[in-house]
Amino acid sequence: MPRSGLEARRRLQQAALELYRERGFDQTTTAEIAARAGVNERTFFRHFPDKREVLFHGEADLRAELMRSVTEAPDGLRPLEILLRAFREAGRILEENRPFSEPRLEVIAKTPALRERELAKAASLTEAVAEALRQRGVADRLAGLAAQTGWAAFHQAAGAWIDDPSQSLDAHLSRAFDDLRALSATSGS
């Protein structure tokens, strides 16, 4: 039996990930996840409201780090520079959890219900980032566009990092934001 709540949560996440990869998300029950983790099903529900949230638990930490980084960014930075800084900070969470992040993305990619959940979570995070930019005085429509564009670059960089772990997530983020700058500098011909 796990000794702490954090240990139980990690074991539940690992068990869920293993079962989702072995059997598929739809064929796995919360009871099976709990049994594999060595806890009872009530313990599962103390940590997660449903079996989807096992894969999205870190979203609150990611949101908090993004908000903190946007809020504390130095004055005088352009919105995309604020976001690059914020996504670099938040990216450390992914890097620390790479053994979970990589197979997690694989399971999500194979499961329509999880892709839908991921899109909903991304939309919520994007809106929170846009609101943090608005609080810094960025115009409403620009804040929304910057947040969506920044999130797309972050998502692109995270995927590239999973595919090419020889470079850090930070390097992939720099490349994605450099690509954004290059796109905006390209003539319309």
Side-chain angles (χ1 to χ4, degrees), residues 30-51:
T30 57
E32 292 167 332
I33 295 167
R36 169 107 23 130
V39 300
N40 62 40
E41 197 171 12
R42 276 185 30 206
T43 300
F44 177 93
F45 287 112
R46 265 190 234 120
H47 292 280
F48 304 104
D50 60 46
K51 70 180 190 172

Side-chain angles (χ1 to χ4, degrees), residues 3-4 7 11-12 15 36-37 46 66 68 79 89 92 110 113-114 116 126-127 133 139 149 157 163 173-174 185 187:
R3 292 195 170 112
S4 72
E7 184 181 341
R11 287 178 58 171
L12 286 163
R36 169 107 23 130
R46 265 190 234 120
L66 285 169
R68 185 196 64 72
E89 294 293 322
R92 291 183 184 145
K110 292 179 182 177
L114 294 174
E116 182 180 325
T126 301
E127 182 49 41
L133 288 171
T149 304
D163 292 342
L173 273 168
S174 292
S187 67

Side-chain angles (χ1 to χ4, degrees), residues 92-124:
R92 291 183 184 145
I93 295 169
L94 291 180
E95 286 182 314
E96 291 168 3
N97 292 307
R98 185 177 179 100
F100 184 74
S101 297
E102 189 170 355
R104 173 191 171 274
L105 291 175
E106 176 188 312
V107 169
I108 290 170
K110 292 179 182 177
T111 312
L114 294 174
R115 285 195 311 268
E116 182 180 325
R117 182 67 153 244
E118 182 179 47
L119 288 172
K121 296 276 188 179
S124 175

